[in-house]
Amino acid sequence: MMVKNIVIALGFLFVSCKGSTQSKKEMETAKADSKESTFKVVKTDAEWQKELTPEQYYVLRKAATENPFTSEHLKNKEEGVYVCVACNTELFKSETKFKSGTGWPSFYQEIKGNVAYDVDYKIGYKRTEEHCATCGGHLGHVFEDGPEPTGLRHCINGVALKFIPAKK
Ligand code: FE
């Protein structure tokens, strides 16, 4: 009877240790992956570096900002859609593009659901960062000094965008 009780007690001990070890490990994995796992397109840093040009890589993956007035998209007035250069997700429609004078391609509205937001304090004050909702690539920031109807200015790095002309 005594031996049987000890065996049962040991059995409980083993199960409970295993249980807690597993859940701790699962929690750590979930924590480490929480940012990446929210995106449909996930690649390693080395893969992105191989696929993107150095300029695209630093902007999209390292949240760098391109030099103003360098984007080929600035003077583009064609009808079409601007897609993520890394994963081809449609991000901005040409009809929402406006001339902001900042030197960066600017839009008053994103294609809803395809752009995701975060907050950064990189230059000392709070800014709303925006990124591709599919691959997580950094696009730019949103400011509340844009034109109607939204009053928003999506200030986007042109190097993160690829323009697809509308079919005529
Ligand atoms: Fe993307």
Side-chain angles (χ1 to χ4, degrees), residues 41 48 60-61 83-91 114 131-139 160:
V41 171
W48 284 124
L60 287 160
R61 307 314 308 178
V83 305
C84 174
V85 79
C87 76
N88 294 310
T89 295
E90 295 191 350
L91 301 173
N114 292 0
H131 51 273
C132 171
T134 308
C135 74
H138 171 72
L139 302 171

Side-chain angles (χ1 to χ4, degrees), residues 57-131:
Y57 173 78
Y58 284 114
V59 168
L60 287 160
R61 307 314 308 178
K62 299 291 169 197
T65 299
E66 72 185 10
N67 289 326
F69 302 103
T70 57
S71 176
E72 53 173 325
H73 300 309
L74 281 171
K75 57 182 191 297
N76 183 20
K77 289 188 169 73
E78 270 186 78
E79 235 179 85
V81 66
Y82 293 85
V83 305
C84 174
V85 79
C87 76
N88 294 310
T89 295
E90 295 191 350
L91 301 173
F92 300 96
K93 290 178 180 169
S94 61
E95 59 259 40
T96 66
K97 190 168 176 278
F98 69 98
K99 197 177 176 185
S100 65
T102 58
W104 290 282
S106 302
F107 304 85
Y108 61 74
Q109 197 175 326
E110 83 285 33
I111 295 177
K112 293 256 187 292
N114 292 0
V115 174
Y117 300 92
D118 219 332
V119 172
D120 86 37
Y121 292 89
K122 272 188 186 148
I123 55 171
Y125 62 90
K126 189 178 169 181
R127 290 185 300 172
T128 303
E129 185 274 350
E130 58 185 310
H131 51 273

